[in-house]
């Protein structure tokens, strides 16, 4: 068994219906593979921390639905290399989300009674929340969100700009088999058509990969609205954020106050992402259905709370036209396989500094040596060539780390040819 097969089946180790002989094969693999063993132990540790201490046999139909959902939480395999235009969530958030879903799969039942040190009222409220979540999950056919987010139209879905303009972001999800979803803003779209994942950046790139929830960063939390509350509570517990749950009339309001995650000795990335900011997240759920009705996110900056995400519309069980789950490319563009878009793993690019990468990239752009540029940025569109072709380096600064981004940022001062459009 290789590592890819193990990672594809990692979550099955927590499924009691998974055949014992296949589990044995997976466990034998991690006896000889430290990397896969570490991933298994990290996920298993998180589950142990948030497991409520009860065991309930969920129905096969319900368990299949939930298992399908958290298998979608495994992101496509990527390489952690310096890339100043892409932001990634801290690794723990992936495991926290999956752990929350696994625990939900294990404990949900209309007859669950938690063992807890909390007051009986809090236990009862928790049981009621899960009861309502299951009812909503079984009846949910589709969901649509219209969110206003302060960001850039073509940049990734993780980017937040507190001083920027609001950009309309839309999310569609169909829970029919196979499940399909799409997240889009005017300059960027991500589509899962049930078979493959697609990323289209307007006039720039078009990438196709396997199943997963890559390319959408923190917005993936909205792809299963029945699990938003428990996923956010798990995040809060793991990053020691403060959260409160308040029930008023027919509303349940979850409020999370979180501190910026990461190292901000250099504050370049501070307040550019949700997780990389001091923020307040407010979710309002329908108390009867436990489905999200509205949400707002505020970033605390310069002694002000700035609204950066605001839900304008959330609808459930509407008919979604088939054409929503398509992306029409310009005639001049074709889909590029994600494996071809990965950065080169040649010896030439190993053990080199961020400053060296920046120098090689911009030298390639200056000389319009696009084969050289492809080692760092691929695919290269006509728009990229237009912007960067012939650019000249004036100065390359010292590379630095900021926030939770695994790579480095390198400041570069450059100039373009005078009079060029």
């Amino acid at each position: 068994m290789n590592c890819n097969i193990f990672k594809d089946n990692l979550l099955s180790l927590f499924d009691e219906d998974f055949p014992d002989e296949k589990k044995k094969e997976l466990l034998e693999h991690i006896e000889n593979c430290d990397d896969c063993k570490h991933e298994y132990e990290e996920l298993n540790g998180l589950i142990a921390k948030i497991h409520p201490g009860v065991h309930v046999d969920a129905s096969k139909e319900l368990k299949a639905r939930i298992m399908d959902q958290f298998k979608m939480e495994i992101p496509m395999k990527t390489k952690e290399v310096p890339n100043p235009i892409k932001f990634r969530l801290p690794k723990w958030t992936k495991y926290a989300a999956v752990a929350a879903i696994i625990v939900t799969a294990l404990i949900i039942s209309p007859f669950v009674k938690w063992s807890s040190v909390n007051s009986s009222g809090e236990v009862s409220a928790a049981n009621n929340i899960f009861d309502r979540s299951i009812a909503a999950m079984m009846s949910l056919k589709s969901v649509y969100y219209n969110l206003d987010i302060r960001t850039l139209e073509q940049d990734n879905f993780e980017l937040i700009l507190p001083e920027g303009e609001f950009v309309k972001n839309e999310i569609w999800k169909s829970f029919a088999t196979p499940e399909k979803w799409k997240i889009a803003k005017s300059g960027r779209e991500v589509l899962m058509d049930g078979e493959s994942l697609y990323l289209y950046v307007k006039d720039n790139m078009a990438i196709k990969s396997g199943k997963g929830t890559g390319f959408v960063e923190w917005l993936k939390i909205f792809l299963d609205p029945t699990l938003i509350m428990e996923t956010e509570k798990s995040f809060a517990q793991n990053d020691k954020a403060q959260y409160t749950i308040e029930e008023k009339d027919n509303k349940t309001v979850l409020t999370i106050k979180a501190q910026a995650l990461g190292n901000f000795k250099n504050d370049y990335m501070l307040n550019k992402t949700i997780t990389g900011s001091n923020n307040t997240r407010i979710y309002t759920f329908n108390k009867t259905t436990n489905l999200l009705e509205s949400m707002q996110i505020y970033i605390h900056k310069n002694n002000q709370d700035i609204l950066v995400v605001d839900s304008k519309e959330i609808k459930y069980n509407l008919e979604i036209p088939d054409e929503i789950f398509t992306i029409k490319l310009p005639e001049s563009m074709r889909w590029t396989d994600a494996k071809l878009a990965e950065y080169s793993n040649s010896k030439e690019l190993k053990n080199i500094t961020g400053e060296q990468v920046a120098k090689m990239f911009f030298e390639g752009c200056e000389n319009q040596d696009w084969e050289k540029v492809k080692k760092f940025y691929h695919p290269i569109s006509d728009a990229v060539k237009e912007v960067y072709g012939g650019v000249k380096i004036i100065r390359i600064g010292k590379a630095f780390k900021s926030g939770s981004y695994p790579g480095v940022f390198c400041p570069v001062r450059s100039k373009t040819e005078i009079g060029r459009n």
Side-chain angles (χ1 to χ4, degrees):
M1 177 181 294
N2 60 38
C3 294
N4 287 336
I5 294 176
F6 175 83
K7 290 175 181 178
D8 286 342
N9 291 277
L10 170 58
L11 298 175
S12 297
L13 285 171
F14 302 93
D15 181 5
E16 295 181 355
D17 292 333
F18 195 66
D20 289 340
E21 61 271 18
K22 292 186 178 180
K23 283 187 180 180
K24 183 179 178 181
E25 291 180 19
L26 295 171
L27 293 173
E28 287 176 350
H29 173 76
I30 61 177
E31 290 180 2
N32 301 304
C33 179
D34 290 339
D35 288 343
C36 291
K37 183 178 181 180
H38 178 71
E39 287 211 26
Y40 168 74
E41 289 178 345
E42 190 166 3
L43 179 56
N44 192 42
L46 267 176
I47 293 172
K49 288 181 181 179
I50 64 176
H51 200 290
V54 298
H55 175 85
V56 175
D57 290 326
S59 68
K60 289 187 176 181
E61 180 183 9
L62 178 56
K63 186 178 292 185
R65 170 75 182 275
I66 299 171
M67 290 294 290
D68 287 344
Q69 172 60 25
F70 70 64
K71 285 177 180 178
M72 292 290 288
E73 292 295 328
I74 304 176
M76 69 175 207
K77 186 177 180 182
T78 57
K79 299 179 181 178
E80 294 184 351
V81 297
N83 180 356
I85 64 172
K86 185 173 183 179
F87 309 106
R88 297 181 186 175
L89 289 172
K91 185 178 179 182
W92 71 262
T93 61
K94 173 186 72 174
Y95 293 118
V98 175
I101 299 169
I102 291 175
V103 170
T104 303
L106 293 174
I107 69 174
I108 49 179
S109 167
F111 310 105
V112 172
K113 299 301 177 187
W114 284 13
S115 299
S116 173
V117 297
N118 293 334
S119 68
S120 60
E122 289 174 320
V123 174
S124 177
N127 284 326
N128 289 337
I129 287 172
F130 275 109
D131 291 350
R132 296 195 299 267
S133 294
I134 297 317
M137 181 181 290
M138 298 306 292
S139 63
L140 203 56
K141 296 180 176 60
S142 68
V143 62
Y144 166 77
Y145 304 86
N146 175 0
L147 307 176
D148 272 353
I149 302 176
R150 294 189 192 271
T151 185
L152 296 177
E153 293 178 346
Q154 286 188 291
D155 218 309
N156 63 69
F157 289 105
E158 181 78 351
L159 178 66
I160 299 293
L161 297 175
E163 289 81 22
E165 298 294 327
F166 280 110
V167 174
K168 182 179 181 179
N169 286 246
E170 295 181 281
I171 303 173
W172 297 265
K173 171 80 179 276
S174 168
F175 293 94
T177 304
E179 292 188 355
K180 301 178 182 181
W181 54 265
K182 185 178 186 179
I183 300 179
K185 51 185 176 179
S186 56
R188 194 179 191 93
E189 298 177 69
V190 176
L191 167 69
M192 164 55 70
D193 66 357
E195 305 240 345
S196 300
L197 188 66
Y198 301 84
L199 165 66
Y200 172 56
V201 182
K202 187 176 180 181
D203 300 326
N204 192 332
M205 67 174 67
I207 296 176
K208 176 182 178 181
S209 76
K211 290 184 178 180
T213 53
F215 304 138
V216 298
E217 290 84 24
W218 72 277
L219 284 178
K220 67 184 179 184
I221 192 174
F222 297 107
L223 294 178
D224 198 324
T226 60
L227 296 175
I228 290 175
M229 183 180 294
E230 289 309 308
T231 301
E232 278 284 28
K233 283 171 58 181
S234 296
F235 287 171
Q237 291 164 356
N238 279 280
D239 67 18
K240 298 181 179 179
Q242 297 178 347
Y243 76 89
T244 60
I245 298 178
E246 185 178 5
E247 295 193 350
K248 293 182 178 179
D249 300 325
N250 196 37
K251 310 292 181 186
T252 301
V253 180
L254 170 66
T255 301
I256 297 175
K257 293 184 179 292
Q259 299 296 309
L261 300 177
N263 182 352
F264 293 98
K265 185 177 181 179
N266 185 306
D267 65 0
Y268 175 73
M269 283 299 295
L270 183 63
N271 297 325
K272 288 188 171 69
T273 67
I274 297 300
T275 56
S277 66
N278 300 321
N279 68 81
T280 299
R281 308 194 288 273
I282 303 172
Y283 298 87
T284 300
F285 300 87
N286 182 290
K287 187 176 178 180
T288 302
T289 66
N290 214 42
L291 292 175
L292 184 67
E293 291 189 343
S294 68
M295 62 88 62
Q296 293 78 35
I297 300 179
Y298 296 84
I299 283 181
H300 187 70
K301 181 178 180 182
N302 298 329
N303 295 318
Q304 295 183 18
D305 287 319
I306 304 171
L307 180 65
V308 295
V309 181
D310 186 22
S311 62
K312 310 307 290 186
E313 187 178 20
I314 302 176
K315 292 183 177 181
Y316 298 97
N317 295 330
L318 74 167
E319 293 293 329
I320 302 178
D322 291 340
E323 55 264 28
I324 290 293
F325 299 114
T326 61
I327 296 178
K328 186 176 181 180
L329 294 182
E331 292 185 1
S332 60
M333 298 186 71
R334 297 291 182 271
W335 293 108
T336 298
D337 190 284
K339 293 180 180 179
L340 300 177
E342 288 183 350
Y343 297 93
S344 171
N345 196 30
S346 65
K347 294 181 179 179
E348 179 184 1
L349 299 183
K350 288 184 177 180
N351 302 317
I352 63 175
T353 67
E355 293 88 349
Q356 289 172 316
V357 170
K359 186 173 185 293
M360 295 168 66
F361 172 82
F362 280 100
E363 284 179 346
C365 291
E366 179 178 357
N367 299 319
Q368 301 190 44
D369 182 351
W370 304 117
E371 289 301 315
K372 184 175 183 178
V373 174
K374 280 182 181 180
K375 296 177 181 179
F376 314 99
Y377 188 88
H378 186 70
I380 301 173
S381 66
D382 291 339
V384 171
K385 293 178 181 179
E386 178 68 20
V387 172
Y388 291 101
V391 67
K392 298 182 184 297
I393 300 173
I394 297 176
R395 184 178 67 85
I396 296 178
K398 185 178 180 180
F400 61 89
K401 296 182 74 70
S402 182
S404 299
Y405 180 64
V408 298
F409 299 91
C410 188
V412 177
R413 186 178 180 185
S414 62
K415 66 178 181 179
T416 58
E417 298 174 2
I418 297 176
R420 183 167 66 87
N421 294 327

